[in-house]
Amino acid sequence: MGISVSRLSKAYGTVLAVNEISFEIGDGEFVSLLGPSGCGKTTTLRCIAGLEDATGGEIRIGERLVSAPAQNLLVPAHERQIGMVFQSYAVWPHMTVRDNVGFPLSVRGMGAAQARTEVEDALRVVGLAELAGRHPSQLSGGQQQRVALARAIVGSPRVLLFDEPLSNLDAKLREGMRGEIRRLQRRLGIAAVYVTHDREEALSMSDRVIVMDHGRIVQIGTPQDLYRRPASRFVADFVGKVTFVALHRDDAAGPWLCPDGTPIALASTAQGGTRALAAIRPEDIRVQPGEPAGDAAADGANRFAGTIAEAHYTGPVTEYLIEAAGGVIRTHAQIDLEPGARVTLSIPPDRIVLLPPD
């Protein structure tokens, strides 16, 4: 059972937080809403959940229309059969783990015997069956998050909604919980919407990612699509580290040139006009000590002479800022070089993405 959002809008007074966005999420699909603070992703999620009243558009969960302001239709949140995990966990300190997980079932009026079975099943799924009698103050942050997960899946919800659920956990625990959430969602086989501003979470967990900015959708695609084929500077910059090089040429048929006039070879020159932006990922640039030698085009790669401006050791690699081609290029390598060292940069043409100019 999936989710359908059509021309959804949400206004707060004169501020349009969500501006006529549309998307579909298939049954069993895990989709992330990714974007900076204030882009409208949480408001979109809350409209799906029924925690916010949409201003316009329609929302369907499965075949059921749950929100249609034009028809004066708004199905209450507790009747939408959703499971939701909040950023703050939202567990009640005076209730035991068992009572926290069973609370949504009591709101629905489920019988005590059936509710007890549902709660036990949910706690087993998240590995908390032995802690059912404890209170939240007796649990770690990760265990409290599992309580929130169990409460979200209890009673067989039709969809799962996650509002930045890992932001309060430390880095190592976040990494482990990502895998747990994804495995749980796959096991249940239901649609999930995951709100985050963390690109690593979105790329590592999602079947597809919806990138939002200023209340609009700017690109939808698989993690690979967004990272390797961004549609704009905003998307390229938001989903990973990147260097932008402003390119120019004398006419629409001429070769592209870097800011210092150095020619640059591209696999695709579909971008029209005389100005464009080249986006280059750090891992697509090879760094070698010394000046370029021999035939610069022997292997088809672009080669640029450069000088290391900054070096930042991170453990697995050293990140370098290198002055080359009339700008500063960000890359990384597993070799140790000092600022001021002369180097050669090699960049394959097919690893350069051509974008519209700023």
Side-chain angles (χ1 to χ4, degrees):
M1 185 172 295
I3 300 168
S4 175
V5 174
S6 177
R7 300 180 65 85
L8 174 67
S9 296
K10 173 60 180 177
Y12 297 98
T14 59
V15 177
L16 195 58
V18 178
N19 190 355
E20 293 195 355
I21 66 171
S22 301
F23 58 87
E24 304 276 342
I25 299 177
D27 193 22
E29 190 177 22
F30 193 107
V31 173
S32 289
L33 301 180
L34 176 67
S37 297
C39 72
K41 57 188 185 295
T42 294
T43 301
T44 298
L45 190 80
R46 290 176 64 85
C47 287
I48 295 172
L51 302 176
E52 295 282 358
D53 297 350
T55 306
E58 294 183 350
I59 301 171
R60 294 179 183 273
I61 297 179
E63 297 301 319
R64 186 183 186 188
L65 184 63
V66 297
S67 177
Q71 302 176 37
N72 199 29
L73 173 65
L74 181 67
V75 175
H78 67 275
E79 294 182 12
R80 297 192 183 191
Q81 289 184 258
I82 58 152
M84 188 160 182
V85 183
F86 297 90
Q87 179 179 351
S88 62
Y89 313 149
V91 294
W92 288 276
H94 65 287
M95 291 184 180
T96 64
V97 168
R98 181 183 296 107
D99 292 340
N100 264 287
V101 174
F103 183 78
L105 304 181
S106 65
V107 172
R108 297 177 201 169
M110 183 179 289
Q114 183 182 354
R116 185 162 50 251
T117 300
E118 295 276 2
V119 169
E120 290 173 355
D121 288 344
L123 290 174
R124 273 196 298 272
V125 169
V126 301
L128 289 179
E130 296 180 355
L131 304 181
R134 292 192 183 183
H135 284 79
S137 61
Q138 298 171 299
L139 304 177
S140 68
Q143 289 169 334
Q144 290 185 49
Q145 187 58 277
R146 286 191 182 90
V147 174
L149 280 171
R151 187 177 57 201
I153 66 173
V154 75
S156 302
R158 297 194 290 176
V159 297
L160 282 174
L161 308 178
F162 299 89
D163 186 11
E164 302 196 49
L166 306 183
S167 59
N168 290 332
L169 302 179
D170 62 58
K172 191 170 184 64
L173 193 52
R174 278 203 307 271
E175 190 173 328
M177 286 298 294
R178 286 179 204 158
E180 289 192 25
I181 288 174
R182 195 64 173 99
R183 284 190 294 273
L184 174 62
Q185 185 266 341
R186 285 197 182 104
R187 176 176 174 176
L188 297 173
I190 59 178
V193 185
Y194 190 99
V195 164
T196 182
H197 63 269
D198 186 317
R199 63 173 182 260
E200 190 173 324
E201 280 185 12
L203 296 180
S204 65
M205 298 174 69
S206 309
D207 296 311
R208 287 187 301 143
V209 179
I210 299 173
V211 184
M212 297 185 64
D213 187 36
H214 291 93
R216 293 183 179 272
I217 292 174
V218 292
Q219 190 170 352
I220 302 177
T222 66
Q224 293 88 345
D225 285 338
L226 296 180
Y227 191 81
R228 297 172 184 166
R229 292 173 289 277
S232 66
R233 177 178 183 137
F234 174 82
V235 174
D237 195 27
F238 201 83
V239 301
K241 293 182 178 179
V242 63
T243 291
F244 296 108
V245 180
L247 304 182
H248 65 278
R249 56 185 177 182
D250 295 333
D251 57 70
W256 287 107
L257 306 175
C258 296
D260 67 348
T262 303
I264 184 170
L266 306 172
S268 172
T269 57
Q271 182 69 42
T274 58
R275 294 190 177 275
L277 203 61
I280 311 169
R281 298 291 183 195
E283 64 273 16
D284 293 327
I285 305 170
R286 183 183 179 191
V287 183
Q288 294 175 293
E291 301 283 349
D295 185 352
D299 60 359
N302 293 284
R303 286 196 174 89
F304 304 103
T307 302
I308 294 179
E310 296 182 30
H312 305 284
Y313 180 72
T314 65
V317 296
T318 299
E319 291 191 348
Y320 294 107
L321 295 181
I322 300 174
E323 296 173 349
V328 177
I329 295 176
R330 179 189 298 273
T331 186
H332 54 231
Q334 293 181 315
I335 58 176
D336 296 327
L337 299 166
E338 296 295 326
R342 293 289 290 170
V343 295
T344 297
L345 304 182
S346 298
I347 310 171
D350 62 354
R351 306 306 291 179
I352 302 172
V353 177
L354 202 60
L355 299 173
D358 288 339

